[in-house]
Amino acid sequence: MLLQSQPRAAARIATDARALAQGATETFVFLLLDGFDALALAGATEPLRQANAISGRPLYGWRIVTMAGTPAVAIGGLAVLADDRFAGLGRGETLMVIGAAGEDEATRGQVFAALRREAAHGARIGAIGAGIQTLARAGLLDNETVAAHWDVAEGLAEEFPRIEVSRAAFVAGRRPTAPGGAAATDLMLHLIAERHGANLATRIADAMVWANVRGPQSRQTVSAQSRFGVRNARLVRVLAAMEANLETPLSAQEIADIAGMSPRQTERLFSRYLATTPMGFYAHLRLERARSLLMQTELSVTEVAVACGYRSLSHFAKVYRATYGHAPRRMRAVA
């Protein structure tokens, strides 16, 4: 990993800080990679446009680039034209990566080399959505805290143990990150407030009809009560505990203790509200997590099995096949 302590990096950071203090236009460069999140791009750029319109001054500029200067294709097929190919950053520019580097080794290598070069020069580099995995694989997030999407957070933490993975709505700082979608707007509103004050950020949110402005400590997901459609307080407490203990599964007695009931009463609780047993529902959660890890990370099948609480690879493969109709290795081969 290239460190930021080099003299050239320090000089650039100091120069950029002076420029910002003097009120210079701050520019964001959005590097789009195929399969990027179109909602995140719109959510990140619109607050910048609104900031300029409301203030009556060019507080922000932005450019959309791709590695080759050709259009980028978002999830769902939407093509977005690029202003230019990515040839580096100017002074005071912040790079935000949106999208994954893909499977082609040559393309990945090109993307990683470009990112490492800018990091070595002291650039502020952030990411939204799958762009976080791109920065991680380029080695630029070691010892950083990132706000990864809840669906990939555990896999990212497993694959990159030197990264602190948060399920917050966003993380600002040297490596600003947001999990994607609407959280991109929350991140940009926060960055605008940091530089130009909360009043401007609030006016932008009002103009965007953005009623629920989240801070960096806000959670990404709704409560277990809403997610699973249950209101029973005991059951909600148990479901939250199950989600938090996938790698080291709780026993039937521990689950009952969390519910504050006997094991037989807990069985009846699950049967009434979820039409299954506690351990059956628990197994479902663990297998869904395993399927997600196989699809979205580069972890081996063995590593995925362990991460989801299976100590026997053969048992994991058996129950996975029985649930999804194919072996877990098939998902790994596809991924």
Side-chain angles (χ1 to χ4, degrees):
M1 178 180 178
L2 296 169
L3 301 179
Q4 296 271 337
S5 58
Q6 303 172 28
R8 185 175 180 183
R12 175 170 179 168
I13 292 171
T15 300
D16 291 349
R18 286 194 296 272
L20 294 178
Q22 294 168 2
T25 297
E26 183 178 3
T27 300
F28 286 85
V29 178
F30 296 95
L31 173 59
L32 304 186
L33 303 172
D34 281 342
F36 72 93
D37 181 349
L39 177 59
L41 175 63
T45 55
E46 181 60 14
L48 305 180
R49 187 191 72 80
Q50 291 282 358
N52 294 345
I54 292 172
S55 67
R57 295 187 292 132
L59 300 178
Y60 293 97
W62 61 93
R63 294 186 289 124
I64 296 175
V65 301
T66 60
M67 292 304 298
T70 53
V73 181
I75 298 173
L78 176 68
V80 174
L81 297 177
D83 295 317
D84 201 354
R85 69 182 182 87
F86 182 52
L89 300 174
R91 293 199 179 278
E93 293 186 333
T94 296
L95 178 64
M96 298 296 292
V97 181
I98 308 181
E103 296 302 320
D104 180 76
E105 289 298 326
T107 301
R108 283 164 61 110
Q110 183 186 20
V111 172
F112 294 165
L115 295 175
R116 290 165 182 155
R117 181 178 63 248
E118 296 304 320
H121 293 169
R124 188 186 197 190
I125 303 175
I128 300 173
I132 296 172
Q133 284 95 315
T134 298
L135 290 193
R137 288 167 183 150
L140 301 184
L141 295 180
D142 287 358
N143 304 313
E144 299 283 350
T145 299
V146 303
H149 192 283
W150 62 266
D151 196 36
V152 301
E154 291 185 12
L156 191 68
E158 290 281 347
E159 191 172 353
F160 302 98
R162 296 184 64 184
I163 298 174
E164 183 176 343
V165 180
S166 169
R167 295 194 185 187
F170 61 86
V171 169
R174 190 173 74 104
R175 294 282 184 262
T177 53
T185 297
D186 293 312
L187 171 61
M188 300 309 290
L189 288 173
H190 179 82
L191 296 178
I192 290 170
E194 279 189 327
R195 186 175 176 194
H196 297 288
N199 181 59
L200 176 59
T202 299
R203 292 176 65 190
I204 293 169
D206 286 343
M208 295 177 63
V209 198
W210 202 256
N212 185 28
V213 179
R214 293 180 291 182
Q217 302 305 317
S218 299
R219 301 287 290 177
Q220 294 174 25
T221 57
V222 297
S223 66
Q225 172 179 319
S226 299
R227 190 158 58 255
F228 295 112
V230 296
R231 293 183 177 277
N232 183 281
R234 294 175 186 268
L235 184 55
V236 168
R237 189 162 61 245
V238 170
L239 296 179
M242 286 180 170
E243 287 188 307
N245 291 275
L246 297 179
E247 184 172 354
T248 306
L250 303 166
S251 67
Q253 184 60 59
E254 288 172 323
I255 290 172
D257 290 341
I258 292 170
M261 307 169 74
S262 70
R264 184 178 294 276
Q265 289 173 320
T266 307
E267 293 267 355
R268 288 198 291 267
L269 182 69
F270 270 76
S271 177
R272 176 182 178 184
Y273 287 97
L274 297 173
T276 186
T277 65
M279 302 314 287
F281 191 85
Y282 208 174
H284 168 74
L285 289 180
R286 292 161 60 200
L287 285 171
E288 282 292 287
R289 174 55 56 199
R291 185 169 181 267
S292 177
L293 293 178
L294 289 167
M295 292 175 63
Q296 300 174 2
T297 75
E298 297 180 358
L299 296 173
S300 69
V301 174
T302 300
E303 288 171 324
V304 169
V306 172
C308 296
Y310 292 92
R311 298 298 174 256
S312 167
L313 183 58
S314 61
H315 177 61
F316 169 63
K318 180 180 179 180
V319 295
Y320 191 95
R321 181 187 291 275
T323 301
Y324 298 112
H326 56 80
R329 293 189 184 281
R330 174 181 165 186
M331 295 300 300
R332 172 53 59 236
V334 172

